[in-house]
Amino acid sequence: MPTAHLNSIRVHYEDTGSGDAPVLMIMGTGSGGQAWHLHQVPALAAAGHRVLTLTNRGIPPTDECVEGFTVMDMADDAIALIEHLGLPSTHLVGTSLGARIAAEVALGRPELTNRLVLMAAAARGDRMRLALSAAEREMQEAGIVPPPVYRAAVKALTHLSPTTLADDTTAGEWLDLFELYDGDGTAPGVRAQERMQPLPARLNAYASLRVPTKVISFADDLVTPPHFGAELASAIRGAQYEEIPACGHFGYLERPEAVNRSILTFFGTATP
C-alpha cells in the first residue's frame, strides 16, 4: 500500500485501475480511504477510470497528527498527492468532511480539478449541529467513553436510513459492523478530526467555484440533511443537484448502485 511523504507527513493512498480521467476520492470523518473500495472503486475502475483513494491525516496508516489540523491542511494534502502523482487534473469526489476538503481543493486549485462531486455536503452548520458538536466535545473532555454497543446503536440511528433499519437482520449486521470497527472513539487521530467541528461557514466562498459540480444528498441523512446540499448547489453557478432516496449519511454504502450511477453519469462514463 503506497505511502507518500507530503507536507512533512506520511500520507497513505491507493491507486486502482487506469484511464485518462483519474478520480481522487476523499472520505469523511473517522474513516480511511479503504471505505470506498467496497462499492465505488470497483464501479469507477470498471468504467475506465484510474481511481485514487486518500486516507486523510488523522487516520492510520496516514500520520495521525494528534496536535491538530485544519480542513485547509487536509486540502493541501490532496493537492500535494495530485502533484506527487504528476496528474494534470482529476475528478474529485468527497463525502461529508471529504466534500469540504474537495471543495477547498477545487476552490484553491481549479486547474487541478476536472469535475467535482460533493456528497452529504454542507457549507455551514446550524443550531442543532452546533449543539451536537458541543455536547460530544464536552463528553470527551470529561473523559466519558460510552460502551461500544451504545456507540454502535447511536451511529446506526444517526447515519443510516429508517428503510435500512426496518429489517432486523440488516440492522443487526450494521450494528455488529459498527461495534466491531468503530472502536471506542478515543483514537487520537479521530479525535483530532472531530476537534475541527464545527467547521467554518463557507457558503459565500463556495459560490465562487467555477468547476463543473454535482451535489448529491441522501434523503434520510440526519447528519447533513438534504436542505444543506440543495442550498450549496443553488449557490454554485451551474451546479447539478440530486437527492437519492431511502438512504442516510452513509448513502454510498446503503445504495451504492444509485450513488455510482449518479457519479458516473456526471463524469460521462455511465453505461446505458
Side-chain angles (χ1 to χ4, degrees), residues 163-222:
T163 301
T164 299
L165 298 178
D167 180 89
D168 276 352
T169 300
T170 302
E173 291 170 351
W174 278 104
L175 287 167
D176 290 343
L177 183 68
F178 288 155
E179 187 173 349
L180 179 63
Y181 289 105
D182 192 45
D184 62 6
T186 61
V190 174
R191 286 206 167 184
Q193 287 191 354
E194 292 174 343
R195 283 199 303 271
M196 294 192 300
Q197 303 293 340
L199 296 173
R202 294 285 282 165
L203 188 61
N204 290 337
Y206 295 161
S208 64
L209 283 166
R210 292 296 178 263
V211 300
T213 301
K214 183 169 190 176
V215 180
I216 301 173
S217 291
F218 305 129
D220 298 330
D221 190 348
L222 295 180

Side-chain angles (χ1 to χ4, degrees), residues 37-50:
H37 284 257
L38 186 60
H39 299 293
Q40 280 67 52
V41 170
L44 269 66
H49 292 282
R50 178 184 178 185

Side-chain angles (χ1 to χ4, degrees), residues 74-263:
M74 302 168 94
D76 286 342
D77 294 339
I79 291 168
L81 179 61
I82 294 170
E83 294 179 332
H84 171 76
L85 296 173
L87 303 176
S89 66
T90 181
H91 297 321
L92 295 176
V93 178
T95 189
S96 194
L97 172 61
R100 280 288 191 117
I101 298 167
E104 294 294 347
V105 173
L107 189 64
R109 297 292 301 276
E111 76 281 5
L112 295 180
T113 310
N114 192 344
R115 288 178 174 258
L116 176 65
V117 176
L118 306 175
M119 299 196 300
R124 63 176 180 87
D126 63 6
R127 183 67 179 271
M128 199 62 234
R129 257 51 52 179
L130 292 173
L132 181 60
S133 294
E136 290 178 341
R137 186 164 53 251
E138 286 190 22
M139 186 164 59
Q140 289 180 359
E141 291 172 353
I144 299 171
V145 181
V149 65
Y150 175 82
R151 289 176 55 83
V154 170
K155 193 161 195 174
L157 285 170
T158 55
H159 286 64
L160 300 175
S161 168
T163 301
T164 299
L165 298 178
D167 180 89
D168 276 352
T169 300
T170 302
E173 291 170 351
W174 278 104
L175 287 167
D176 290 343
L177 183 68
F178 288 155
E179 187 173 349
L180 179 63
Y181 289 105
D182 192 45
D184 62 6
T186 61
V190 174
R191 286 206 167 184
Q193 287 191 354
E194 292 174 343
R195 283 199 303 271
M196 294 192 300
Q197 303 293 340
L199 296 173
R202 294 285 282 165
L203 188 61
N204 290 337
Y206 295 161
S208 64
L209 283 166
R210 292 296 178 263
V211 300
T213 301
K214 183 169 190 176
V215 180
I216 301 173
S217 291
F218 305 129
D220 298 330
D221 190 348
L222 295 180
V223 178
T224 312
H227 68 266
F228 282 118
E231 176 186 61
L232 177 58
S234 296
I236 302 171
R237 187 172 67 189
Q240 298 181 23
Y241 177 72
E242 183 176 357
E243 184 177 310
I244 298 179
C247 54
H249 197 64
F250 288 161
Y252 57 93
L253 298 175
E254 290 180 275
R255 296 204 59 203
E257 296 84 2
V259 170
N260 296 344
R261 183 169 56 251
S262 180
I263 295 171

